[in-house]
Amino acid sequence: MPDDPTAAPLPELPGVDVQAIMQAMAADGVDMSDQAAVYRWLADPTVDLAGMVDEDEFDPDEDVSIKELYGLPDRLPPLRLPPLAELVRAARESRVLAQARALAGWVGAGRPVDEQGEPGAADCRAAADALGLEAPADVASLSDIPELTHLWDLAESVELIEIGDDEMVPGAALEAWPDGADEDVLDVWATALAVVMTSLDLDADLHHEAELNFYGAGGAVVMTLFLARSAGVPYPELSELIGEAAGARRGVWDAWVAAHGDPAQVLLTRLEELGAVSYDEEAARLTPLAQWAMCAQLVDGDVEVPLLPPVEEMTAQDLVAAAEGFTEDELVAETSAWLDRHPPEVAAAELLEVAAAGGPADRMYATSVVTSRIGAAAEPHWRAALDDPRLRAYAKLALDLKPGSEDLAWLLTDVLATTSDVDGPEDIARQLGDAVPAGREQEIFEVMWRIPHPSAGDVLSLLGAHHPDKTIAKAARKAAFKARQS
């Protein structure tokens, strides 16, 4: 939600939740692994949030896979996780689960509950006192102590306590938390993450707020953080994401924030207490433990998330595949560490082999490493690459040879094949202008449709659909048609 009090009110969005937003992004071709693309879509004033879902057809209880829900591709960039022992240690250090365990300790051998499965007023106050939680003087039920209600919900959900017909007793997870088998500890923590992700829903119920729809907001925040990896997501972006999903009138939202705080900050605080998030003034990031939990969920949902080996075990293929998921600083560090473990001639040969077999993004990164980091030792391999049409253009540049029209066409296709139409006409025009001298566009297009590049037709179609110059766009469309017919 914008902080500016003069901003336009949020639209009324009855029946629209985060599922609808994510599905609409997928329908518009937004790359959900591209954080910037997601935020541009959300900020686009032409996006009709209110009209994107038919209330009569939308069923929030429909079984939708995580892949469908968030419009994810079949494969996400590789991820490196710490050793299992480190993940388990982090799980055992969860502050909020320690509190839930303390609540189970207060329950002891058993305590009575009412017909709703809740403790009586006296026990609510006693539990709050035992756990050091603030409670109003006139406690009548569990809901009068929201912090205890959340803790109660968590303890029951992870089975630290069990609610019977008239009694609460210790749950089965007491044997697993925190000193049980590693697998059991991680299972408890992963369940706790799912509970905390839905905690804003419980807030709305506790305060009888029917106009705020937090359903799925926590999941959207955590997924957005997972896709951003270590780059993180600025807090205002997360706040706006939840605000758009909640779909409330401005007055309702402002009243909620004044009374209970910004939901994004509330959620991040709870996730941080669980051990799922770290954040500073610039951005919030998932911890490795939360990345592990989300990775496991995605893999179960048929989304491939390769796990990187330690750097000393990485192959050239591993390094190139990981490039997309690293920040710039991380990529420099990973590349340096990998190069330190491989003789220059061997590194050049392995990287160029990956470049030849890979896609445009792989080729651009691998060849840039060979050019900028290996230097003269790679010259024999560059000369051999002159005979490979996939690498010839890069080899000519590395050897200071003049590229021909086919070389320029191949380079341009590689560059634009990594571009999405959400980058906008100006970005596409700039990239074309950087690669092709003005006035030679049609000449290069005529070459592009003939080269054996698997992405040539798609790139020409992209230029034809989005280049702002009508003459250039028309020439690209003609060449794209020829590519399809060839």
Side-chain angles (χ1 to χ4, degrees):
M1 294 287 289
D3 293 328
D4 181 4
T6 65
L10 285 175
E12 293 280 359
L13 299 176
V16 176
D17 66 8
V18 173
Q19 284 186 338
I21 292 175
M22 297 302 177
Q23 289 165 353
M25 286 184 186
D28 285 349
V30 177
D31 181 358
M32 293 298 295
S33 66
D34 183 344
Q35 175 186 335
V38 170
Y39 297 143
R40 276 196 297 271
W41 187 91
L42 288 171
D44 186 349
T46 66
V47 172
D48 181 14
L49 293 175
M52 73 170 112
V53 172
D54 184 342
E55 290 182 65
D56 294 332
E57 295 183 2
F58 180 71
D59 180 5
D61 296 323
E62 184 180 353
D63 186 16
V64 179
S65 73
I66 190 170
K67 183 178 178 181
E68 295 171 325
L69 175 60
Y70 296 106
L72 298 173
D74 292 336
R75 186 180 188 276
L76 290 174
L79 176 69
R80 175 175 289 127
L81 294 173
L84 179 66
E86 187 174 330
L87 295 173
V88 174
R89 183 169 58 251
R92 289 189 170 116
E93 293 172 353
S94 169
R95 297 195 304 275
V96 72
L97 276 172
Q99 277 192 304
R101 180 66 175 77
L103 175 60
W106 172 82
V107 168
R111 293 187 182 257
V113 293
D114 60 21
E115 58 272 15
Q116 280 78 43
E118 296 184 356
D123 270 349
C124 286
R125 175 170 290 283
D129 290 343
L131 298 173
L133 305 178
E134 292 186 8
D138 55 345
V139 173
S141 67
L142 183 62
S143 61
D144 291 329
I145 314 175
E147 191 174 355
L148 180 60
T149 305
H150 279 282
L151 206 55
W152 183 276
D153 181 55
L154 177 62
E156 183 181 3
S157 296
V158 301
E159 298 185 352
L160 287 171
I161 61 174
E162 182 178 338
I163 310 300
D165 292 337
D166 57 5
E167 186 182 31
M168 51 182 163
V169 296
L174 277 177
E175 295 183 3
W177 186 269
D179 300 320
D182 290 352
E183 182 179 351
D184 294 336
V185 168
L186 290 175
D187 282 347
V188 170
W189 192 91
T191 302
L193 175 61
V195 174
V196 174
M197 284 163 57
T198 63
S199 62
L200 293 177
D201 294 341
L202 181 54
D203 288 334
D205 290 341
L206 287 173
H207 299 289
H208 309 291
E209 179 52 71
E211 290 196 51
L212 283 171
N213 180 13
F214 290 125
Y215 177 76
V221 165
V222 173
M223 180 57 71
T224 301
L225 291 172
F226 179 82
L227 295 175
R229 302 291 175 90
S230 57
V233 181
Y235 162 75
E237 307 276 10
L238 298 175
S239 181
E240 184 171 356
L241 177 60
I242 293 179
E244 292 285 353
R249 291 179 290 109
R250 168 63 65 180
V252 172
W253 177 269
D254 289 346
W256 178 273
V257 171
H260 310 293
D262 188 318
Q265 185 60 62
V266 170
L267 180 63
L268 288 176
T269 299
R270 290 172 181 160
L271 289 168
E272 192 269 337
E273 290 173 349
L274 176 64
V277 160
S278 64
Y279 57 94
D280 52 32
E281 293 181 356
E282 295 183 358
R285 299 168 181 84
L286 285 191
T287 62
L289 181 56
Q291 289 182 334
W292 162 82
M294 294 303 295
C295 178
Q297 187 176 358
L298 286 165
V299 171
D300 285 345
D302 294 326
V303 178
E304 183 183 358
V305 188
L307 294 181
L308 285 172
V311 66
E312 59 271 16
E313 300 175 14
M314 286 177 67
T315 65
Q317 179 64 59
D318 291 331
L319 177 65
V320 173
E324 183 183 352
F326 288 132
T327 65
E328 184 175 350
D329 289 344
E330 288 172 336
L331 186 55
V332 169
E334 290 281 342
T335 303
S336 297
W338 188 84
L339 290 172
D340 287 345
R341 290 167 169 79
H342 294 78
E345 298 83 359
V346 173
E350 292 183 0
L351 284 168
L352 290 180
E353 182 180 355
V354 172
D362 296 340
R363 193 156 40 245
M364 291 171 64
Y365 170 65
T367 56
S368 72
V369 173
V370 177
T371 301
S372 63
R373 302 293 299 274
I374 296 179
E379 182 174 341
H381 301 287
W382 280 127
R383 293 201 176 280
L386 289 171
D387 296 327
D388 189 330
R390 299 168 297 181
L391 298 178
R392 182 173 56 240
Y394 296 94
K396 285 187 176 181
L397 292 176
L399 297 169
D400 290 328
L401 302 175
K402 184 179 179 180
S405 295
E406 287 190 5
D407 303 319
L408 290 176
W410 190 279
L411 288 171
L412 176 62
T413 304
D414 267 0
V415 170
L416 289 180
T418 63
T419 298
S420 167
D421 55 10
V422 297
D423 283 353
E426 295 77 12
D427 292 330
I428 292 172
R430 176 183 53 76
Q431 292 187 33
L432 178 62
D434 289 344
V436 178
R440 293 189 61 190
E441 294 90 357
Q442 186 168 348
E443 171 193 342
I444 295 299
F445 294 164
E446 281 297 309
V447 177
M448 279 179 70
W449 76 261
R450 293 182 171 90
I451 61 174
H453 196 302
S455 300
D458 291 338
V459 166
L460 287 166
S461 295
L462 176 74
L463 289 166
H466 298 286
H467 198 287
D469 186 301
K470 293 182 179 180
T471 301
I472 293 175
K474 183 177 180 180
R477 288 194 296 272
K478 287 184 176 180
F481 176 78
K482 294 176 183 178
R484 288 193 295 270
Q485 300 301 312
S486 64

